[in-house]
Amino acid sequence: MDKQIDENLRRAYHEVAKEEVPERFIKLLEELRQQDEAAKTPEPAGKPKESK
Amino acid sequence: MTDRNDPRDELVTHLPAMRAFALSLTRNGATADDLVQEAILKAWSKFETFEPGTNMRAWLFTIVRNTFYSLHRKRQREIEDPDGIMSGAMAVKPDHDGRLMMDEFRVAFGKLTDEQREVLTLVGAEGFSYEEAAEMCGCAVGTVKSRTNRARKRLAELMHLTDEDALEITDDITQSIVSESSAA
């Protein structure tokens, strides 16, 4: 019985997970990255290279 | 395009999973994507708090669920019908048991509490361990375990899959008898 439930859980979950990511998110990430580049705020350890 | 090893590049790979998780919480497609959007913004702005080498998906999921509980749940109290799934499911006369099961499942799943849906998705669907889920939910491992058990039990009840009646319910009459005997 638990197995059936888990199967259903995974199926419902993966139906969404295998959808293509909506454009809005790709755009959002691009915008965020561009904002970062533009601002050039000093980041604490984590950014290996500054892109000029 | 600059060539750099930016861990934030990994974010996009987690988006499908984040959407699926968000949907399990909000039960509404539009709100789910709004939730993911806010989570992305949060994650980006506090990315320095992410420890490289640790589980980014877990970190992102934690942001999604925290955002849900702090913001969306309040807004969402009125939204009861997840994408019209309930009305859709009632009208369905399935061709085979598999599809009926799926629709029944969706309806039943929607009736669980937020915390129950969350923990079932984390553990049952996404495959996090109890320990990982506990960390993400900010609660004890024991709580996650008992919550998962109770959620599974409740789901089984709602889907009429009890140990006594392991019936394939396709018959309306049988269904109403079973639902009378359980305090649904």
Side-chain angles (χ1 to χ4, degrees), chain B:
Chain B
M1 288 278 163
T2 50
D3 180 25
R4 79 194 135 191
N5 204 6
D6 191 336
R8 284 179 303 187
D9 290 341
E10 197 187 313
L11 259 170
V12 69
T13 66
H14 296 291
L15 290 181
M18 285 168 76
R19 293 183 73 225
F21 180 47
L23 184 62
S24 75
L25 293 173
T26 63
R27 294 170 296 169
N28 175 298
T31 335
D33 279 352
D34 287 345
L35 176 56
V36 170
Q37 176 131 349
E38 287 184 41
I40 292 175
L41 289 169
K42 283 224 177 87
W44 194 274
S45 71
K46 58 180 219 171
F47 201 79
E48 68 277 0
T49 68
F50 171 68
E51 271 185 63
T54 62
N55 190 330
M56 186 179 293
R57 182 162 296 190
W59 184 74
L60 290 170
F61 271 38
T62 309
I63 295 176
V64 170
R65 53 101 54 197
N66 287 340
T67 311
F68 172 72
Y69 286 111
S70 63
L71 294 176
H72 280 253
R73 190 150 72 150
K74 296 189 196 113
R75 290 184 209 150
Q76 214 179 244
R77 288 222 194 281
E78 294 78 46
I79 300 174
E80 280 305 316
D81 184 18
D83 293 325
I85 283 174
M86 280 178 169
S87 38
M90 298 309 177
V92 160
K93 288 295 168 228
D95 299 327
H96 60 91
D97 295 336
R99 197 161 332 142
L100 169 66
M101 186 74 78
M102 227 12 232
D103 291 330
E104 267 197 63
F105 170 79
R106 281 192 228 275
V107 172
F109 188 74
K111 290 183 178 162
L112 299 176
T113 68
D114 294 338
E115 286 84 359
Q116 283 172 342
R117 294 196 311 281
E118 172 185 11
V119 88
L120 275 185
T121 306
L122 292 176
V123 173
E126 176 61 33
F128 285 109
S129 67
Y130 288 123
E131 288 74 22
E132 286 169 324
E135 212 177 303
M136 292 158 66
C137 300
C139 61
V141 177
T143 308
V144 173
K145 284 187 179 162
S146 60
R147 204 174 274 171
T148 313
N149 289 335
R150 202 170 319 134
R152 284 210 172 100
K153 212 169 169 197
R154 182 77 186 120
L155 254 186
E157 277 172 20
L158 289 167
M159 292 174 71
H160 310 296
L161 293 174
T162 60
D163 282 333
E164 297 89 52
D165 337 84
L167 307 163
E168 298 291 324
I169 294 187
T170 53
D171 179 346
D172 281 351
I173 296 171
T174 320
Q175 210 166 28
S176 55
I177 290 174
V178 171
S179 58
E180 261 181 43
S181 57
S182 58

Side-chain angles (χ1 to χ4, degrees), chain A residues 33-50:
Chain A
R33 175 138 343 261
Q34 278 169 21
Q35 277 174 27
D36 260 17
E37 313 247 319
K40 285 206 199 76
T41 49
E43 300 267 320
K47 218 176 188 174
K49 296 186 183 81
E50 278 287 302

Side-chain angles (χ1 to χ4, degrees), chain A residues 1 4 13 18 30 32-33 39-40 44 46 52:
Chain A
M1 187 218 326
Q4 265 176 322
Y13 184 80
K18 66 180 191 220
E30 276 174 24
L32 288 171
R33 175 138 343 261
K40 285 206 199 76
K52 291 281 192 253

